[in-house]
C-alpha cells in the first residue's frame, strides 16, 4: 500500500515567521501537537508542542516575539507519496517519531502520515503495534 492511499491530506501549516503564540493557538484550535513549517511553499521544518515547551518556554522566550523558525525542528525527515507504507514505518522506527510529512515529486507537502493512519488504514495490526513499540522505546536521559 502506498502512503498517498492512507495519508492525511490538506495539512494545516504555519509559516516560518509566525510568532509562537499564534502557532500554539493554531495547534490548540486544530487539536494537534505538530505543524509542518512552510517557507515559500516548501517544507522548512516541523514545529511540535515539545519544541514550544522545551526550546522556548524552558528557555524563557517570549511567545509573542519568538518566531517559529527560532525553535522549530529542522532535522527534516519525510517520505514521498509514492513510497510504500513499510518505508514510512522504517523511518518512524529508526527516528522514533509518530508522524512523517509526505511530499510529492516536486518536494511540496501533500500530506502527513501518522501511526494512527497506519493502524486504521493499512489493515495490519501487527505492523502498527510493532511500530508503536519501536517508536515508544525510551531514549537515554541526558544526565
Amino acid at each position: 500500500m502506498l502512503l498517498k492511499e492512507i495519508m492525511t491530506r490538506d495539512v494545516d501549516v504555519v509559516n516560518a515567521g509566525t510568532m509562537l503564540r499564534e502557532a500554539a493557538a493554531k495547534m490548540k484550535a486544530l487539536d494537534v501537537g505538530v505543524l509542518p513549517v512552510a517557507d515559500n511553499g516548501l517544507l522548512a521544518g516541523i514545529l511540535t508542542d515539545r519544541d514550544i515547551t522545551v526550546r522556548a518556554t524552558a528557555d524563557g522566550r517570549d511567545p509573542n516575539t519568538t518566531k517559529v523558525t527560532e525553535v522549530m525542528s529542522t532535522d527534516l525527515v519525510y517520505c514521498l507519496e509514492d513510497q510504500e507504507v513499510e518505508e514510512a514505518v522504517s523511518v518512524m522506527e529508526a527516528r522514533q517519531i509518530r508522524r512523517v510529512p509526505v511530499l510529492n515529486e516536486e518536494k511540496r507537502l501533500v500530506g502527513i502520515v501518522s501511526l494512527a493512519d497506519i493502524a486504521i488504514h493499512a489493515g495490519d495490526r501487527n505492523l502498527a503495534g510493532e511500530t508503536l513499540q519501536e517508536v515508544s522505546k525510551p531514549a537515554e536521559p541526558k544526565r
Side-chain angles (χ1 to χ4, degrees), residues 33-118:
V34 63
L35 285 171
V37 180
D39 190 15
N40 293 323
L42 297 175
L43 184 64
I46 296 290
L47 181 69
T48 68
D49 47 9
R50 180 170 163 70
D51 292 331
I52 294 170
T53 302
V54 174
R55 292 186 181 154
T57 305
D59 285 345
R61 292 178 181 238
D62 182 349
N64 294 306
T65 59
T66 303
K67 294 179 182 178
V68 165
T69 192
E70 296 176 51
V71 298
M72 69 184 185
S73 297
T74 57
D75 185 16
L76 292 178
V77 175
Y78 63 86
C79 289
L80 299 175
E81 64 182 339
D82 290 326
Q83 285 182 280
E84 296 285 337
V85 169
E86 290 78 11
E87 292 177 76
V89 165
S90 293
V91 168
M92 289 174 167
E93 289 176 352
R95 298 295 296 267
Q96 289 191 298
I97 54 177
R98 296 171 187 254
R99 293 166 204 86
V100 177
V102 180
L103 308 182
N104 64 15
E105 291 176 1
E106 292 80 35
K107 302 290 192 221
R108 299 234 178 243
L109 182 70
V110 292
I112 195 162
V113 67
S114 68
L115 283 177
D117 294 323
I118 292 166

